[in-house]
Amino acid sequence: MTAYITTPIYYVNAQPHLGHAYTTIVADTYSRYRRLCGDTVRFQTGTDEHGDKIVEAAEKENKQPQEYVDAVSAMFRQTWELLKISPDNFIRTTDPVHIRTVQHILQKVYEQGDIYFDEYSGLYCKGCERFLTEKELVDGNCPDHQTAPREITEQNYFFRMSKYQQQLIDHIQENPEFITPERYRNEVLSFLSEPLEDLCISRPTSRLTWGIPLPFDRDFVTYVWFDALINYLTGIGYPDGEDFQQYWEVAEHLIAKDILKPHAIYWPTMLMAIGLKPYAKLHVHGYWNVDDTKMSKSIGNVIRPAELVEQYGRDELRYFVLREMSFGLDSSFGHDAVIARKNSDLANDLGNLFSRSLAMLHKYCGGVAPSPGGQREPSDILLIETAEHMLADYRKYMQIFQFHKGLQAVWELVSQANKFIVVNEPWALAKDETKRVRLDTVLYNLLESLRLLALTISPVMPETAEKMVRGLGLQEKTDLTLSLTSGGRWGLFPAGVSMAQTAPLFPRVDVGEKIKKTDSSKAGPETKKTAEEGLITFEQFKKTELRVAEIISAEAVEKSDKLMLLTVQAHEQRTIVAGIAEHYSPDELIGMQVILVANMKPARIMGLRSEGMLLAAKSVENGRERLVLTTVSAPVPNGSSVA
Ligand code: MSP
């Protein structure tokens, strides 16, 4: 299959920040994922270089616009290199080929009568580079820029956008996946329930010269959005290029919610006027805030990706943003959260698994991959099943931009493989010559898990995956076991290959070490979801049944460092398997009244039945996760409901 994924082309009036980096990391990860599936992929990003805002920014730096845009555009490109983001095409709206394409389209749409000349008065927001409707204002101000728009009356050219309104509504309704997540599709449909105005697509040269001249009237330049959106066509060689035929019908645009309207309304109607099918999909994500506040230059909390790379590493940053943000919702950035993820998910869970396994392979097998043998034991079956589920969930979620869920699935295998070591105690097997076959099987299973992990993390953390692949003795470019199509199943690790000695994958961040404070790095508490979209209704909350329960017995679960088996008394008695063994001793727990989630589906954890969950506060202290059980402030009858 073929894929064409684009990011917005970023304005060069600001340097790249975390928000730009997020979208571009997502696009890069998705491209790498699709390539791993054997697809032919084209990934495009670039810079948007015309318009008022750019002229103003250049003036502030005492530069000519061209000199200024060259410098900032180069900065974007360098940042993407630093983040190991590899677009196939980096487009600039000042590229001559783009200017020709925009003029070609303007001429075509003008000749067919969809562009007309008229006088217009409206409220113009310079920050948005567009006229706003009265309805969009909040207390008379633009909601995005908190400034009052200026009333402007001038003669201009207009695109008959209204003519395509119904066609667009029909298209959105007939294609449920055209705009996702659904909340944004609904937002667009709700906007379209009101009559659409035509779009002003020119600026008189008396007011602005830094733009693409209209081919049919040299006294005007093209409005930046009409210019910028066309980049998605220019980049694949519209109208005559071969790539255009191949890629246009699969075009997927990736944006944040701030530019939904131009992408969901202006652009598809423009395409209809050009006589092209609308793009295939629009994926809309939320906003990164910083410690729950909007990122802004004036507040001085702008997060620079290059600084994060320096502090935490590039793969660590890529992993963090994809694991932390639920695609579609807002997220709040905090340094503590990055450190916690790096130390816990990466250094502890994945890093240790890799180092321990390879150390044992070198020690017990001379660094040569063994073959499995003998009967499969329950722990083998559990590991293999976890790997197979992981592969299925991973593919399901990566395909639909639910990266945090894809990664969660991968970490299920990481965690199961770590448990597999604890349960099988290879060091004990190694002491007993009669257990040689079992030892080989255990180590083979670990190698196979690591291969599947290297494979699945590679779109997110390409460098770490490369290190793992090298450590495992596989050949990155040629080994078919490293493609999802030919290698995405259990049991393919080539026995007999020699493993290399490797350094740890992730150096830990010492939390005691002072976090380098930039003007932006006010380290905050754990990352929270702040978006209003993330909120639940009372009806949804009511579905969770919380009850007071008393712990009447507690014992550690054999072969697990984390789990404890509890019996609790609510109205009835229940058994609960809780991950609190590192935080409490059994004695401390007996008699404690805790809060039970009483309407959970029972689950089996390490073969034990767990009939609910307990609430606990979770924090990160000195780089370690700490859990403190939630209790009641005075004794109450067991089984009391918590409202
Ligand atoms: N030039 C236009 C886009 C034209 S596309 C044909 C533009 N540029 S921009 O520099 O303002 O970039 C906006 C995009 O940057 C967002 O849609 C998003 O991809 C990214 N982000 C900017 N700030 C962001 C956050 N705080 N959080 C997440 N992403 C954000 O609009």
Side-chain angles (χ1 to χ4, degrees):
M1 285 206 291
T2 312
Y4 174 36
I5 178 82
T6 68
T7 73
I9 46 172
Y10 304 110
Y11 286 131
V12 288
N13 63 338
Q15 294 179 18
H17 61 56
L18 178 68
H20 305 122
Y22 175 71
T23 317
T24 322
I25 290 172
V26 167
D28 185 68
T29 298
Y30 182 69
S31 306
R32 288 174 190 268
Y33 167 73
R34 293 290 304 262
R35 288 197 177 106
L36 208 58
C37 295
D39 296 333
T40 307
V41 181
R42 189 171 174 100
F43 157 30
Q44 176 168 304
T45 185
T47 41
D48 190 354
E49 306 185 1
H50 290 128
D52 282 335
K53 284 201 284 194
I54 311 298
V55 176
E56 222 171 63
E59 275 167 5
K60 266 197 198 141
E61 294 204 6
N62 282 326
K63 287 192 174 144
Q64 288 302 312
Q66 189 63 54
E67 184 193 0
Y68 172 81
V69 298
D70 286 348
V72 184
S73 178
M75 235 180 261
F76 272 90
R77 231 173 334 196
Q78 284 155 9
T79 305
W80 304 154
E81 272 168 34
L82 191 66
L83 291 172
K84 216 169 161 76
I85 290 170
S86 322
D88 301 292
N89 192 19
F90 186 98
I91 192 165
R92 304 180 54 186
T93 52
T94 49
D95 288 340
V97 52
H98 177 70
I99 295 171
R100 280 199 302 277
T101 308
V102 170
Q103 290 183 328
H104 167 87
I105 287 174
L106 280 165
Q107 189 67 38
K108 177 179 161 77
V109 178
Y110 181 66
E111 281 171 14
Q112 80 193 30
D114 278 344
I115 289 175
Y116 62 90
F117 194 59
D118 200 3
E119 186 170 283
Y120 183 78
S121 295
L123 298 165
Y124 189 76
C125 172
K126 208 167 189 176
C128 295
E129 301 253 23
R130 66 181 177 92
F131 287 97
L132 303 180
T133 58
E134 289 279 356
K135 257 188 142 174
E136 285 179 280
L137 306 184
V138 175
D139 300 330
N141 284 338
C142 161
D144 285 345
H145 297 93
Q146 272 83 46
T147 48
R150 203 152 59 94
E151 171 107 36
I152 292 187
T153 302
E154 64 190 18
Q155 290 196 311
N156 261 316
Y157 285 89
F158 290 82
F159 163 53
R160 284 189 208 284
M161 193 154 75
S162 56
K163 176 173 157 191
Y164 297 95
Q165 175 163 10
Q166 193 52 47
Q167 204 177 325
L168 177 57
I169 296 172
D170 294 345
H171 186 81
I172 296 174
Q173 273 164 349
E174 283 158 20
N175 296 278
E177 292 191 349
F178 182 55
I179 302 168
T180 54
E182 206 181 347
R183 65 173 64 78
Y184 297 111
R185 175 176 188 260
N186 294 340
E187 195 176 314
V188 173
L189 281 173
S190 137
F191 186 83
L192 285 169
S193 63
E194 304 279 330
L196 206 54
E197 284 178 18
D198 289 343
L199 182 68
C200 175
I201 55 138
S202 64
R203 299 289 179 263
T205 44
S206 54
R207 185 149 76 77
L208 174 74
T209 52
W210 186 244
I212 300 179
L214 293 187
F216 44 82
D217 190 338
R218 296 283 155 163
D219 289 337
F220 292 84
V221 294
T222 314
Y223 165 50
V224 276
W225 273 106
F226 202 94
D227 160 354
L229 288 160
I230 288 172
N231 90 83
Y232 301 132
L233 291 178
T234 310
I236 49 172
Y238 171 84
D240 306 318
E242 262 173 47
D243 285 349
F244 170 70
Q245 296 303 336
Q246 188 183 3
Y247 289 105
W248 180 246
E249 58 177 15
V250 293
E252 294 179 68
H253 300 315
L254 176 62
I255 59 166
K257 60 185 186 180
D258 55 335
I259 50 176
L260 179 60
K261 197 170 160 188
H263 281 82
I265 295 179
Y266 303 175
W267 183 223
T269 52
M270 282 166 66
L271 288 162
M272 287 167 183
I274 300 168
L276 291 175
K277 273 203 347 207
Y279 51 81
K281 285 181 187 173
L282 182 64
H283 303 278
V284 189
H285 65 76
Y287 246 47
W288 279 99
N289 298 317
V290 177
D291 297 332
D292 297 339
T293 313
K294 196 172 171 176
M295 220 188 316
S296 100
K297 237 183 181 170
S298 53
I299 303 177
N301 65 349
V302 178
I303 301 282
R304 301 289 173 205
E307 287 172 12
L308 295 180
V309 170
E310 194 190 321
Q311 282 173 308
Y312 306 113
R314 68 156 67 105
D315 275 9
E316 288 87 338
L317 172 61
R318 292 173 62 113
Y319 172 77
F320 172 78
V321 292
L322 292 169
R323 176 64 187 77
E324 199 71 12
M325 183 175 253
S326 305
F327 191 89
L329 301 181
D330 289 358
S331 249
S332 185
F333 176 88
H335 286 270
D336 280 6
V338 187
I339 295 173
R341 288 259 176 235
K342 175 165 179 180
N343 283 349
S344 148
D345 302 7
L346 299 180
N348 266 2
D349 297 347
L350 178 61
N352 279 348
L353 173 68
F354 182 72
S355 310
R356 285 163 92 189
S357 306
L358 283 197
M360 290 191 286
L361 273 147
H362 283 287
K363 192 160 167 197
Y364 305 135
C365 301
V368 177
S371 313
Q375 280 272 317
R376 277 188 180 166
E377 295 197 0
S379 65
D380 302 334
I381 295 171
L382 185 59
L383 184 68
I384 296 169
E385 280 176 5
T386 309
E388 280 164 356
H389 278 149
M390 179 281 273
L391 286 166
D393 282 354
Y394 169 80
R395 293 186 81 148
K396 173 168 99 191
Y397 291 126
M398 295 297 280
Q399 190 65 38
I400 55 168
F401 283 67
Q402 295 289 311
F403 305 101
H404 65 297
K405 290 195 182 155
L407 287 169
Q408 255 166 13
V410 174
W411 255 253
E412 296 277 317
L413 179 59
V414 172
S415 138
Q416 197 57 51
N418 274 319
K419 284 181 198 149
F420 182 79
I421 298 181
V422 176
V423 172
N424 284 287
E425 299 184 324
W427 46 91
L429 297 173
K431 287 192 189 130
D432 184 346
E433 254 316 302
T434 64
K435 305 264 171 70
R436 185 70 227 184
V437 174
R438 180 64 196 150
L439 176 63
D440 282 353
T441 307
V442 167
L443 294 178
Y444 177 88
N445 287 351
L446 287 173
L447 274 182
E448 183 56 346
S449 302
L450 287 169
R451 178 185 68 87
L452 292 174
L453 290 170
L455 180 65
T456 47
I457 65 162
S458 64
V460 178
M461 295 190 280
E463 235 182 11
T464 305
E466 260 173 52
K467 278 194 215 162
M468 289 178 72
V469 162
R470 255 183 276 128
L472 293 170
L474 303 174
Q475 301 297 319
E476 211 206 342
K477 296 274 177 305
T478 52
D479 200 320
L480 292 178
T481 68
L482 295 173
S483 129
L484 257 184
T485 36
S486 50
R489 64 198 154 84
W490 183 270
L492 302 178
F493 199 96
V497 299
S498 295
M499 262 141 268
Q501 295 284 352
T502 47
L505 294 180
F506 306 100
R508 283 179 69 90
V509 183
D510 180 357
V511 191
E513 187 187 299
K514 217 168 115 232
I515 299 168
K516 192 181 138 207
K517 293 241 172 180
T518 60
D519 58 345
S520 55
S521 62
K522 292 176 213 96
E526 281 209 271
T527 300
K528 293 181 224 93
K529 300 274 174 296
T530 55
E532 199 168 316
E533 302 97 306
L535 302 179
I536 57 167
T537 62
F538 179 61
E539 288 309 310
Q540 289 166 320
F541 175 70
K542 247 183 21 190
K543 290 189 182 153
T544 313
E545 186 190 332
L546 299 176
R547 296 203 171 270
V548 175
E550 184 180 341
I551 301 180
I552 53 179
S553 78
E555 55 182 290
V557 170
E558 239 183 276
K559 299 195 174 162
S560 163
D561 302 337
K562 291 193 175 158
L563 297 178
M564 211 178 256
L565 177 66
L566 308 173
T567 314
V568 300
Q569 177 74 49
H571 288 306
E572 67 295 329
Q573 269 191 15
R574 299 188 184 208
T575 57
I576 308 265
V577 180
I580 53 170
E582 290 167 324
H583 309 280
Y584 289 93
S585 70
D587 288 346
E588 281 176 271
L589 292 167
I590 313 267
M592 193 186 280
Q593 281 196 310
V594 290
I595 310 296
L596 168 74
V597 183
N599 60 340
M600 299 275 305
K601 266 196 187 149
R604 287 203 90 75
I605 304 175
M606 291 194 72
L608 300 167
R609 184 175 164 87
S610 185
E611 302 165 304
M613 282 169 68
L614 302 184
L615 295 191
K618 186 164 137 185
S619 60
V620 176
E621 292 174 20
N622 296 329
R624 296 187 70 86
E625 193 171 81
R626 180 160 176 240
L627 289 178
V628 178
L629 285 166
T630 311
T631 55
V632 280
S633 59
V636 292
N638 290 331
S640 301
S641 72
V642 177

